Amino acid sequence: MAKKYSSLIEIKGGLQSGEVTVEKLVKHYLENIKANAHLNAFNEVFGEEALSRAKNIDARIQSGNAGRLAGMVIGIKDNICYKDHKVSASSKILDGFTSIYSSTIVERLLAEDAIIIGRCNCDEFAMGASNESSYFGPVKNYADNTKVSGGSSGGSAVAVQADMCHAAIGTDTGGSVRQPASFCGLIGLKPTYGRISRYGVISYASSFDQVGPITKSVEDAALLLEIMAGVDEYDSTLSTKEVPSFSADLKEPGKKKIAYLQESLSSPGVDAEVKNALTQAIDKLRAEGHTVKPIAFEYLDYLVPAYYILATAEASSNLARYDGVHYGYRSPKATDLQSTYKLSRSEGFGKEVKRRIMLGTFVLSAGYYDAYYAKAQKARRLIREKTQDILKEYDFILTPTAPEPAYNIGKEETDPVVSYLADIFTVQASLSGLPAISLPVGNNSKGLPLGLQLLAGQFEEQELLNFSKYFVKL
Ligand code: GLN
């Protein structure tokens, strides 16, 4: 079966006409996984299980009682718990750990007959933007194997890019669904904070973490969002707002007011072809009758510092639980409680994770709390308020998703701040708790995918998806 389906709607057509079966689909993806093993997108493939589930779902389709995701084969990022399956956050410290329960999102996806084909590689504890901090090694971009996949949900993105599954689920703390989607020519949606349950998702920075879909079509993103979203007694940060039927309600967006950050075009840090893609999009939107205006964001320089202070502070506390006693790896050299903690953590965590635990502990320490953590909290409030002000006047804020397309694997950065700065466009939505989506806008002259980001008001995913569906066809 050579056909590459671009949406679940298309797959459902194929299932109905008898062109394909769920079992054939799974076999096709498993073949692709095998053929693309060098991309390193999966930490583990649940092959046998996926095949036997496929047979059951085919039978349910025959008898007319299949769920809304029948025919949808997905990969999940390896920081999402799935009962009786291993989960590692791509870290040595979770070596051998098996989930004893499923995350809420996994339960909801399975209840609608999705098939989970495997757990996808990612940056260690979702800390990174290139998938190079994984204990299992980097993920290669399918468009060019010498380039990174993006991160931290790099395996999830490449799995979809190389047709190793139809869609994937990632997590986005500061851009980890959107940025790899943009590096792989896909759609990546980070919903409003409080939209999707985080129960059973390994925590990185709890006030930022959100689950999001990586897909080839806006329709699939809408459907996956509506199935995963909504109140959950295990996550008290969830909104009690009713979840719209995002996929059924997709409609023409009408004329919109769009702001774009003028620095996206003027900053020397943004790649020329990325700027060009943004300029072209602006021109097309204007030609279509939308209002598109440049804006200055006065807190632009504070976005990355505020994000990295707060995210690392939260991470240092969340990662305290990996102590060599409760989960996964324990150093064989440990002799007592102190050495169990010290050695297990020293040997179990990678370099980037340790750097962040130390930075987070520092900004929370008694002498520096006010200067860093408290200040960053204040900056976050200002960033959120200012962003919301802009969205009172405009429907969306348009930016590149990332300043550059996928770069070379192994590009050693001596100063980590240089890598952190590449998150400049994605962390604004994360700091503000707002929904944002990365949409593909073709390839650059070297054949590497480019993406643009749209940021919308709180809980305005429907408007965002309506406009996205229209935008990708422009
Ligand atoms: N690149 C950002 C970081 O390293 C975002 C990661 C994420 O969203 N999980 O923190």
Side-chain angles (χ1 to χ4, degrees):
M1 191 197 71
K3 185 162 176 184
K4 197 167 166 173
Y5 291 97
S6 60
S7 70
L8 182 63
I9 299 170
E10 213 187 302
I11 291 177
K12 285 194 169 155
L15 290 169
Q16 215 154 34
S17 71
E19 173 189 79
V20 76
T21 61
V22 184
E23 187 183 355
K24 278 190 197 156
L25 274 173
V26 169
K27 282 189 176 150
H28 161 77
Y29 295 129
L30 289 173
E31 274 165 28
N32 270 352
I33 290 174
K34 215 165 152 190
N36 290 298
H38 61 286
L39 299 179
N40 204 19
F42 283 90
N43 287 344
E44 188 184 352
V45 179
F46 310 137
E48 285 305 313
E49 185 187 329
L51 275 174
S52 81
R53 230 177 113 70
K55 287 179 198 152
N56 288 336
I57 293 169
D58 276 325
R60 271 209 289 286
I61 293 173
Q62 288 299 320
S63 55
N65 58 1
R68 285 185 291 168
L69 291 178
M72 171 78 89
V73 179
I74 58 170
I76 55 171
K77 187 176 181 176
D78 194 9
N79 61 351
I80 299 174
C81 294
Y82 182 5
K83 190 177 186 327
D84 298 332
H85 293 73
K86 287 193 171 139
V87 62
S88 78
S90 290
S91 180
K92 182 179 173 181
I93 210 152
L94 277 168
D95 189 31
F97 179 75
T98 300
S99 296
I100 55 171
Y101 63 90
S102 282
S103 52
T104 299
I105 61 136
V106 160
E107 283 187 351
R108 289 183 183 175
L109 294 167
L110 293 178
E112 291 292 350
D113 284 340
I115 292 178
I116 298 176
I117 202 163
R119 52 188 173 102
C120 297
N121 200 344
C122 58
D123 276 300
E124 187 178 0
F125 283 99
M127 295 174 185
S130 67
N131 214 120
E132 292 174 292
S133 76
S134 166
Y135 177 61
F136 303 105
V139 176
K140 295 176 181 165
N141 196 305
Y142 182 58
D144 176 343
N145 292 183
T146 65
K147 306 289 180 193
V148 298
S149 55
S152 64
S153 316
S156 300
V158 169
V160 181
Q161 184 193 26
D163 210 31
M164 299 190 260
C165 53
H166 179 66
I169 307 298
T171 62
D172 190 312
T173 302
S176 280
V177 160
R178 291 163 283 160
Q179 186 259 22
S182 96
F183 280 14
C184 296
L186 299 164
I187 294 161
L189 171 68
K190 182 199 89 77
T192 304
Y193 186 81
R195 186 61 105 177
I196 295 185
S197 171
R198 292 176 292 112
Y199 178 70
V201 178
I202 294 180
S203 303
Y204 162 15
S206 309
S207 77
F208 297 84
D209 298 343
Q210 271 296 289
V211 167
I214 297 179
T215 60
K216 289 179 231 169
S217 73
V218 173
E219 288 82 351
D220 287 347
L223 182 62
L224 287 168
L225 174 65
E226 96 192 37
I227 286 168
M228 291 190 288
V231 275
D232 174 16
E233 61 174 313
Y234 298 116
D235 181 352
S236 61
T237 59
L238 282 190
S239 161
T240 51
K241 258 182 192 294
E242 204 183 315
V243 179
S245 307
F246 295 114
S247 59
D249 293 349
L250 282 173
K251 57 172 190 282
E252 280 297 312
K255 298 289 173 246
K256 295 292 173 194
K257 279 186 82 179
I258 299 154
Y260 70 89
L261 287 184
Q262 60 192 24
E263 285 86 352
S264 329
L265 293 179
S266 63
S267 164
V270 181
D271 172 86
E273 290 191 79
V274 170
K275 284 180 183 163
N276 194 27
L278 179 62
T279 309
Q280 281 184 12
I282 292 169
D283 291 346
K284 275 193 215 162
L285 290 169
R286 281 186 179 144
E288 289 262 312
H290 303 284
T291 306
V292 189
K293 288 199 182 145
I295 53 153
F297 187 67
E298 60 197 284
Y299 300 119
L300 192 68
D301 290 345
Y302 300 96
L303 293 172
V304 169
Y307 169 77
Y308 274 92
I309 288 172
L310 297 172
T312 56
E314 294 183 26
S316 72
S317 149
N318 274 327
L319 271 59
R321 73 191 69 175
Y322 306 103
D323 55 5
V325 178
H326 292 91
Y327 308 91
Y329 180 74
R330 178 177 302 165
S331 171
K333 294 184 224 135
T335 49
D336 57 7
L337 190 63
Q338 276 286 336
S339 63
T340 302
Y341 289 165
K342 275 195 188 160
L343 292 171
S344 304
R345 285 171 71 82
S346 300
E347 294 162 18
F349 287 132
K351 189 168 147 211
E352 184 59 26
V353 173
K354 284 182 196 162
R355 177 175 11 242
R356 294 187 187 207
I357 292 173
M358 286 190 280
L359 180 59
T361 306
F362 174 77
V363 299
L364 286 173
S365 62
Y368 294 97
Y369 184 95
D370 287 340
Y372 294 103
Y373 183 74
K375 201 144 218 160
Q377 288 282 39
K378 288 177 191 162
R380 183 181 195 177
R381 184 170 53 76
L382 291 171
I383 290 163
R384 188 190 302 130
E385 283 172 5
K386 181 70 187 163
T387 305
Q388 279 169 339
D389 282 349
I390 297 169
L391 291 165
K392 277 182 201 138
E393 203 180 327
Y394 295 92
D395 297 297
F396 309 113
I397 301 173
L398 174 67
T399 62
T401 306
E404 290 186 298
Y407 43 86
N408 286 336
I409 293 175
K411 179 184 103 172
E412 274 289 323
E413 223 39 277
T414 41
D415 180 0
V417 174
V418 176
S419 317
Y420 298 168
L421 279 171
D423 297 335
I424 180 96
F425 297 122
T426 47
V427 295
Q428 185 175 5
S430 312
L431 285 158
S432 309
L434 298 174
I437 195 166
S438 179
L439 299 168
V441 286
N443 295 340
N444 73 359
S445 55
K446 298 204 179 75
L448 295 173
L450 299 174
L452 295 179
Q453 173 185 249
L454 284 167
L455 193 167
Q458 198 174 25
F459 295 110
E460 282 177 7
E461 283 91 349
Q462 187 71 61
E463 291 71 15
L464 185 60
L465 290 163
N466 290 345
F467 197 76
S468 298
K469 184 177 169 190
Y470 156 86
F471 185 91
V472 292
K473 297 202 177 106
L474 264 188

